[in-house]
Amino acid sequence: MARVVMQAVVSVDGYIAHPDDTVGPLFDWYGNGDTELSAGASGWTFHVSRTSAAYVQPFWDAVKVTVIGRHLFDTTNGWDGKPGAGDELVVVTHRPLPEEWLADHPEAPFHTADSVEAGVALAKKLAGDGLVCVTAGNLGGQAFSAGLVDEVAMDVVPVVLGEGVRFFGDHAATVLLDDPDQVVQGDRVLHLHYTVRR
């Protein structure tokens, strides 16, 4: 059965982006090392510290399906039809994807669902026994509050943004996590992994 992890790069004060959706220094660590990190189907490559690569690469390789919201789809132009991680992508949206985008990306392994619950269920079906990654923010917060998230992974960058898009969005409920089972110090990033208590 697929596991569901909510993941993002996050500031020390809990933000995954500025109010205008830019990430500022949050992604600087993706280019501060000499070890290549590959994001699979997207073709993106980064150069991070050896320690970060040893943690992140197996995580990205385990992701089979990513679930995102419509806002992130629109902000990134659907990553030009290539999932950032995994083989397939589910967009939670109440509107059809733009016809022009679909025409430009006929081979995109993208699916849509009209609710967070339906999106996670579809992603789990597509992932088999692999990993489903739900992006943080309002979508992730909704999935977390609904009890659909099994694990939380944070790449914490030593910066305080002061305001912006919160890791758990506006939907997080009080939920206990186990102690972190992975704490990995990279260069200008701390990788944390938690399991949600059941």
Side-chain angles (χ1 to χ4, degrees), residues 127-183:
D129 60 359
L131 189 63
V132 171
C133 183
V134 176
T135 55
N138 279 326
L139 176 86
Q142 290 175 54
F144 187 79
S145 294
L148 303 174
V149 173
D150 303 307
E151 305 167 15
V152 174
M154 299 176 155
D155 301 312
V156 183
V157 174
V159 63
V160 175
L161 293 185
E163 62 178 343
V165 181
R166 294 172 45 202
F167 185 93
F168 289 99
D170 298 322
H171 302 278
T174 300
V175 177
L176 290 177
L177 308 177
D178 287 334
D179 288 334
D181 52 54
Q182 293 183 59
V183 179

Side-chain angles (χ1 to χ4, degrees), residues 38-130:
S38 172
S42 70
W44 301 333
T45 57
F46 306 95
H47 290 87
V48 299
S49 71
R50 185 179 311 265
T51 304
S52 287
Y55 169 81
V56 176
Q57 192 68 67
F59 174 79
W60 283 357
D61 290 346
V63 173
K64 300 301 178 201
V65 182
T66 298
V67 182
I68 69 172
R70 181 58 182 265
H71 181 74
L72 183 58
F73 174 89
D74 290 342
T75 301
T76 64
N77 190 38
W79 290 310
D80 292 325
K82 298 175 185 174
D87 302 320
E88 300 186 73
L89 191 138
V90 175
V91 183
V92 176
T93 180
H94 298 294
R95 298 173 285 134
L97 298 183
E99 288 184 21
E100 181 178 306
W101 187 91
L102 291 169
D104 288 344
H105 306 93
E107 303 295 320
F110 283 36
H111 311 270
T112 58
D114 63 2
S115 71
V116 171
E117 293 81 3
V120 171
L122 175 58
K124 288 175 79 170
K125 181 179 176 183
L126 293 168
D129 60 359

Side-chain angles (χ1 to χ4, degrees), residues 22-45:
T22 59
V23 295
L26 288 178
F27 287 1
D28 287 357
W29 66 276
Y30 280 131
N32 70 357
D34 58 7
T35 304
E36 187 170 284
L37 180 63
S38 172
S42 70
W44 301 333
T45 57

